[in-house]
Each structure stands twice: as structure tokens, then as C-alpha cells.
Amino acid sequence: MSKLQNKNKDKKKILIHVDSNGHANLDSLPLRYCFNFTTNETLELRDCETWEKNQHKKNDGSFEIRFLVDAVFTKPDGKPDHGRFVLADHGRKHLNLVTVWKNDQEAEEKLSFYLKDIRKEGNITTEELIRLHDFYKNDEANTVSGLIASLIKIAEEGTKAAEEREAKVTEIAKRHLNEKHKLEDKLEEVEKVNEKQREEIMRLTKTHPNYDGSDVDISIVGKLKRVTKRKRKKSSGDVVNCVFLEFEEDHFPERKMDEIFDLDNAIYEKAQS
């Protein structure tokens, strides 16, 4: 037995090393305790009992001494929990956490092997294992078959939720489309009314006794900035007095009205006011 193993054996309180890239951190802690570490960490175990010793054959054919320890620890959220911890000496300051579980050892060992395999194959992620924690806590995902059933259940619920979201989005889209069509119908009605009003304004302007045959334009509504009287030269060469309207909106061109259409200055004075 190494000095480290001998030093820790039978202690009631120890620190253990958690490798951020190890199976325990990527599989066991997420599923069984709903957390994992992003960096290498140390974890304190309290009320350590059992210290069951066994010899484990590794994949390369070599052997290492492992300890099975029952202990209590505090999770990152501050809540205490317990488990059966498998520890081994990997040459660090503290014993290394190999894996940890809560329930039947044989079933949990098979589950650990399965978790490690499917995660390495890319068929499940650490984040997904964290989401499976509630199923493990409720004894639904504490065996290989239970985990598979839980994954199927989540997939079915996800499909159902996606279908419900899609139906809701479709309903909202249809409602907005109907509202858009109603608005377009109203705008079309308003446009027809406006067109009739424009035609009437054009007719009245062109039938005015002082109408000189020049082009008539209908302006959209703008906010007046300035009203002035100036002269302008007509296409015939005649110079006439005009009322000029400047608007605050930059995209509105300056408008003009020959004084012949406002002999009593009524329009000019109203614009000035």
C-alpha cells in the first residue's frame, strides 16, 4: 500500500481529487448529484465509513488498489448529500475520485460503464445528464434500462412540446396575418376616400376662375416651419407674387401658391398663425 493510501485509510474526514476530464466529473456527478466542475477540484468527504479495499484491473492490464468509501459531502449549492465513493491513488496529493453512486452497487456499476461509453461516443452530453438528474433521484434512471426509458420519455415530451410551440406560433402568425389583412382592407378603403378627395380638390382648383393651367399637386401633411411671400417667374416669363411654405421635415419640398389664389390673404394669415 502506498503512503498516500495508508495515510487516508480509515480516516473519518478526507479531501479527494476530482479530475475535470474524468468519468466521475463528466458522468457520475452530473446524473447522480446534478452538478459537475469545470476545473480540477478537491472535495471534502465527512463521516467516512467502510473503507472496503479491492484490486482493480485497468484497461492496460495493470492493477491498482481501490477503496469503496461511504461518506457525506457538501454540494456546490451548499446542500449536504451522501454516496458510495470509489477512490484510487493516481499519484496526486489526495486520492482520486473514480466514480460515485447511491444505490445497488451492481446496477450502478453497469450504469456507470454505460454512461461513460455513450458520452464518449457523443450520444449524450454532461449537460443532458444534469437534466436527467430528477429521473435518477426518482429511481427512474438508476439502471441502464431506466436511463434509456427516461431518455425516450424526454424525447417524446420534447417532441410534444415542440409541436405545441409550433402550433402556438402558427396560431399567432395566422392572427397577425388576419389583422394585417384587415388593416390592408381599411387602408384600401381610406385610400379610395382620399383619392376621391384629391380628385375633388383637383377639380375645384382647375375650375377656379383664376386657374392659369399650371400643374397642380396635392401635398401630404407636414409641420410648417416658415411662411414667406416671395416672387417667382412663371414658364410664360411673367413674375408673380407667391406664398412659400417651408416644412420642418427635411424630406418635404418647399411648397408655393400664387397670390391669385389668395387675394384676401386668408390662407397666408392662417398659415402664419
Side-chain angles (χ1 to χ4, degrees):
M1 181 183 297
S2 71
K3 291 182 179 179
L4 179 59
Q5 292 168 358
N6 187 54
K7 179 181 176 182
N8 285 284
K9 187 175 181 297
D10 299 329
K11 278 192 172 183
K12 289 295 183 181
K13 182 188 291 186
I14 64 169
L15 291 175
I16 61 172
H17 175 83
V18 182
D19 189 338
S20 63
N21 292 317
H23 157 66
N25 187 60
L26 297 178
D27 307 316
S28 300
L29 291 176
L31 177 66
R32 295 171 173 121
Y33 297 97
C34 198
F35 77 91
N36 76 310
F37 297 114
T38 57
T39 59
N40 293 343
E41 297 289 343
T42 55
L43 195 64
E44 182 184 73
L45 302 187
R46 306 184 303 277
D47 301 330
C48 299
E49 296 179 350
T50 310
W51 285 99
E52 179 183 316
K53 179 181 175 182
N54 62 75
Q55 194 173 35
H56 174 77
K57 186 176 181 179
K58 299 166 67 175
N59 292 333
D60 61 5
S62 62
F63 290 86
E64 69 177 9
I65 300 299
R66 291 185 174 182
F67 292 97
L68 180 61
V69 180
D70 294 316
V72 174
F73 72 105
T74 300
K75 297 187 292 186
D77 62 5
K79 296 179 180 179
D81 213 326
H82 68 281
R84 307 203 79 188
F85 294 80
V86 177
L87 309 176
D89 185 356
H90 288 176
R92 297 185 176 87
K93 183 178 179 181
H94 306 294
L95 290 174
N96 191 76
L97 176 61
V98 177
T99 190
V100 57
W101 62 75
K102 286 187 175 184
N103 305 299
D104 177 72
Q105 181 171 341
E106 183 179 356
E108 291 272 19
E109 282 183 337
K110 290 180 180 178
L111 178 60
S112 283
F113 287 131
Y114 181 71
L115 289 174
K116 187 175 181 180
D117 286 344
I118 62 174
R119 192 251 310 157
K120 283 188 172 182
E121 291 168 359
N123 294 320
I124 200 166
T125 65
T126 298
E127 292 71 23
E128 288 169 333
L129 289 174
I130 287 177
R131 290 197 290 271
L132 278 162
H133 169 68
D134 286 340
F135 290 89
Y136 177 86
K137 187 171 64 175
N138 295 333
D139 295 332
E140 295 179 67
N142 56 357
T143 63
V144 172
S145 59
L147 178 73
I148 294 172
S150 298
L151 287 169
I152 293 172
K153 185 176 181 180
I154 288 175
E156 290 175 345
E157 289 176 351
T159 302
K160 183 179 179 181
E163 289 174 350
E164 290 175 352
R165 286 195 300 271
E166 184 179 353
K168 188 173 183 180
V169 170
T170 302
E171 180 186 350
I172 292 172
K174 285 181 177 178
R175 187 166 67 245
H176 282 291
L177 187 61
N178 289 334
E179 290 172 355
K180 177 176 177 290
H181 288 161
K182 289 179 182 178
L183 181 59
E184 288 174 344
D185 291 342
K186 288 181 180 179
L187 288 174
E188 188 176 347
E189 292 175 8
V190 170
E191 183 62 28
K192 288 178 179 178
V193 172
N194 288 342
E195 182 60 30
K196 289 181 179 179
Q197 292 175 340
R198 282 194 292 270
E199 290 174 357
E200 181 63 13
I201 291 172
M202 298 285 278
R203 186 190 66 79
L204 292 173
T205 301
K206 291 180 178 181
T207 56
H208 191 282
N210 295 317
Y211 174 62
D212 61 358
S214 59
D215 291 336
V216 178
D217 192 14
I218 307 297
S219 174
I220 58 176
V221 177
K223 187 174 182 180
L224 275 173
K225 179 180 180 181
R226 188 178 294 108
V227 182
T228 57
K229 280 189 175 184
R230 302 199 302 272
K231 296 183 182 295
R232 80 173 183 93
K233 191 173 183 179
K234 299 171 64 174
S235 57
S236 62
D238 296 335
V239 176
V240 295
N241 292 323
C242 270
V243 175
F244 289 86
L245 307 178
E246 294 180 58
F247 298 91
E248 289 190 358
E249 294 83 0
D250 293 335
H251 59 281
F252 278 12
E254 184 180 58
R255 313 298 295 187
K256 60 183 179 293
M257 179 184 66
D258 290 352
E259 67 175 356
I260 194 69
F261 294 102
D262 189 30
L263 293 175
D264 58 358
N265 286 323
I267 298 175
Y268 171 75
E269 290 173 1
K270 185 172 184 179
Q272 282 277 39
S273 65

